[in-house]
Amino acid sequence: MSEPVGVPAFSNHLPVRIRFGDRTASQLGSVAAGYGARRAVVMADAGLEDGNAGVASAIETLQDAGVEVERFVKPPGEPTIELADAA
């Protein structure tokens, strides 16, 4: 009898910090500035970019921290590699 096929064990370290919760967009400017960011791209779905308080807050907090913001409006759904290249 053969062994069952499964996912081999592995380990990985991703040096990222995830912030989640109400009003976390208000922290984006200080986080970006803490990394020395001078420019940022904010990618938002068409139809959400203008009327979404989270997107507006993210852009505002980045600009308040002295980060230049480029807006990229995309079709709804997860971005593809081609779309990221276009941005």
Side-chain angles (χ1 to χ4, degrees), residues 46-71:
L48 294 179
E49 197 258 346
D50 289 327
N52 186 294
V55 173
S57 177
I59 291 170
E60 182 178 346
T61 189
L62 284 164
Q63 290 172 331
D64 288 349
V67 177
E68 179 185 339
V69 177
E70 179 73 29
R71 297 178 178 137

Side-chain angles (χ1 to χ4, degrees), residues 22-44:
D22 292 339
R23 295 178 290 284
T24 53
S26 66
Q27 301 169 13
L28 188 56
S30 63
V31 170
Y35 284 108
R38 294 177 288 131
R39 298 175 64 200
V41 173
V42 174
M43 185 179 287

